[in-house]
Each structure stands twice: as C-alpha cells, then as structure tokens.
Amino acid sequence: MNIVVFGAHGVLGKAVCQALERQGHRVRRAARQGAHLAVDFRVDLSAATLRAAVQGMDIVVNTTGILIEREGDTWDKVHHAAVDALAAACEAEHVARIVHVSALGAGTGLGGGYMRSKLAGEQALARRRVDYAIVRPSLLVDAACASTRLFTALSALPVIAVPGLRDPGGSRIAPVQVADVADCIAAIVAHPKALRRVIELEGPERLTYRAMLERLRAAQGGGRALWVPLPWWLVRAAAWLALAWPQRVISPDTVRMLRASCEGRSETTRWLRREPLALDAQPQALPPAVAGIA
C-alpha cells in the first residue's frame, strides 16, 4: 500500500516508517524538513494545503505531537487544527484510513490544555467520513525518547525525589516500548475491516512511578538510593519553573498526567499477537545516566 507518515522524523514516526517498510509498504515521510514532503503543522492548517500530501495515498498515519508549547508550537494547532485539516484532506482524497496517535487519558475528563487538545483532535477526526483508528499509547519507552533519558538519569542519582506524601511515588504507569507501538500501528494499517474506534496500548506491567525508577536503576547496575517524598504542590511549582529551561518533558500538564495514573483497556497483545516487551527487556535501549544532572 501507499502510506504517508506525518511526524516521520519523531521517535515514534521513525519506528512506524521502519515497521511499515519491513512489511513491504511504500512509505512517504512527511516532516518539517529533510523528508519526502515538507509539512509544518504550525502553519499548514488547511485541507487545501494538505490534500497534495495525501493525494494517491491508501493510508495516512499521523504521529505528530508535542508535550510542551514553545516557538510557535501550540497544542491547539498541532493536536486539533492540523488534525481537523488532515482529516478533511483525507476525506476529500478518499483515503481508506487514518491512523492517528493521541494519548492515553484523552476522553477521561483529565484537565489541562494538552489533554483537551488531544480530545478535540480525536473528535474532529471522528466527524469525518473516513475510516480511522485513534491510537492512545501509554508512556513511550525508547533510548531516543526525551522522557526515557530523563527518567533514566533521575534513577541513577544517589538521592531521588518522588511525588506525594501519602503514597510517595505511587502513581501508576504502564510504559510501552516504541517498537511495540510501531508494530501495532503497522498491524492496524493492514486490518482488512473498518475500525472507526479508539485503540489503547500499554506495556505488560502497571508499575508505580517509584518501581519504574527502581527498574531503570537496576538496569544500570545501581545500588541503593535515598528516596525523598515531595508534596504535589512543590512538584507542580517545579514544573512551572522547568518551562523556562530548554527541555521537552516537564510541565504542569505532564505532572497532572502522572498524578492521574491514567490506565486504559490495553489491546497491545491483540495487535502484536505476542506479549509486549517489558520496560527493561532491551538493555541496549536504556541510555546511561546523564552526568552532571542534579
């Protein structure tokens, strides 16, 4: 099949392109620069503009997303307006299916601009007369993911702060490997029947935040650490301060998602036709701690 992948230079986008090519599909990459198609969801927000990118395509995969707003990137543009325009373009060009990557927790009532924009994008897609699959993955794990690098670095510190006083580090997460999500998307692309629904993907284990850090620490050969509980209000304040730094992970919205312990009805095993990989199943995917992080 002819497939175009938007966000093809992102961590997940690259993995999706590779998974699709392994299956013999003809893949076109769409990204802001250095790809087959130059598409910038900060400005390319009309169906007329995007029709050329999806013309002749059987399937469209959208992996584009941002955690933090900066430098013209806004949640409303990238997660909502661009998705609405892309869905309209696909409808006009009679694309068979859109596979759109959203986020686990969308539609649960979780507050914050990030989740509101994700849900708005899903709703815009569902209004179009085109088959779709909305993929909601849990926390993505990969050596190239900024969040994986951050959590790995934090887990290597001698003193590790964990949020919450009543249940320090008790927020629950089901981390899922990027490679598994990419393989699921490749299977969803090839599904022979109409879908028009949400598909939630999680890893094989629901770990507490502290347990996740302990696993990452053990994978690096770390010994015992001093665990220090922090009140949630202090964690939120630190997240606001972190917005001033050139990082892409920590924000009040990501803190809100961590505290909410979003869980879904995982279909990872169904689409993979095997058990998903554990957090530490691929030691080579766990980068060494970043020296000097305090």
Side-chain angles (χ1 to χ4, degrees):
M1 288 189 289
N2 294 317
I3 303 172
V4 59
V5 177
F6 290 83
H9 284 179
V11 176
L12 180 57
K14 288 179 181 178
V16 169
C17 290
Q18 292 166 0
L20 292 171
E21 287 171 340
R22 285 196 300 269
Q23 291 190 352
H25 299 295
R26 294 175 293 277
V27 179
R28 298 183 73 187
R29 290 162 169 79
R32 289 179 180 175
Q33 54 187 3
H36 298 135
L37 300 169
V39 178
D40 189 340
F41 280 170
R42 292 173 297 184
V43 294
D44 296 329
L45 301 174
S46 71
T49 301
L50 295 174
R51 282 188 69 170
V54 304
Q55 190 173 36
M57 295 295 109
D58 300 304
I59 305 288
V60 168
V61 179
N62 180 34
T63 67
T64 309
I66 58 171
L67 274 176
I68 296 177
E69 295 181 307
R70 63 174 82 245
E71 298 177 1
D73 275 325
T74 69
W75 293 320
D76 184 64
K77 286 182 181 179
V78 176
H79 298 160
H80 178 204
V83 175
D84 189 23
L86 183 60
C90 289
E91 183 180 54
E93 291 296 328
H94 305 290
V95 171
R97 176 177 297 152
I98 305 174
V99 181
H100 170 65
V101 178
S102 184
L104 192 67
T108 62
L110 185 62
Y114 174 84
M115 278 299 181
R116 283 196 297 269
S117 67
K118 284 290 190 181
L119 180 59
E122 292 184 7
Q123 292 170 338
L125 178 57
R127 286 193 292 267
R128 296 294 176 179
R129 294 189 302 274
V130 61
D131 187 43
Y132 66 85
I134 294 169
V135 177
R136 294 177 179 169
S138 183
L139 175 69
L140 295 175
V141 177
D142 189 271
C145 284
S147 57
T148 303
R149 295 197 299 268
L150 172 64
F151 292 137
T152 304
L154 292 176
S155 72
L157 297 174
V159 179
I160 304 175
V162 287
L165 296 180
R166 293 185 179 179
D167 184 17
S171 300
R172 301 189 69 80
I173 311 168
V176 61
Q177 295 274 358
V178 164
D180 280 346
V181 175
D183 285 344
C184 284
I185 289 174
I188 292 166
V189 161
H191 188 67
K193 297 181 180 180
L195 289 167
R196 289 191 66 85
R197 68 183 186 86
V198 170
I199 298 171
E200 296 180 325
L201 302 177
E202 294 181 313
E205 301 174 278
R206 287 196 172 111
L207 304 169
T208 65
Y209 175 69
R210 173 168 173 167
M212 180 182 73
L213 294 184
E214 288 173 338
R215 292 277 288 275
L216 292 173
R217 186 177 183 86
Q220 300 174 86
R224 297 180 63 182
L226 176 62
W227 299 85
V228 179
L230 295 180
W232 279 105
W233 69 263
L234 185 57
V235 176
R236 288 193 298 271
W240 279 107
L241 292 175
L243 292 176
W245 292 84
Q247 51 84 30
R248 297 179 295 164
V249 179
I250 305 171
S251 74
D253 281 79
T254 55
V255 169
R256 185 180 289 109
M257 286 185 280
L258 176 64
R259 188 172 188 181
S261 297
C262 297
E263 296 182 357
R265 296 183 178 180
S266 181
E267 297 184 43
T268 314
T269 301
R270 172 192 172 184
W271 290 101
L272 286 178
R273 297 188 177 182
R274 61 169 171 81
E275 284 297 312
L277 298 170
L279 171 69
D280 50 359
Q282 297 175 310
Q284 70 273 18
L286 299 177
V290 179
I293 290 185

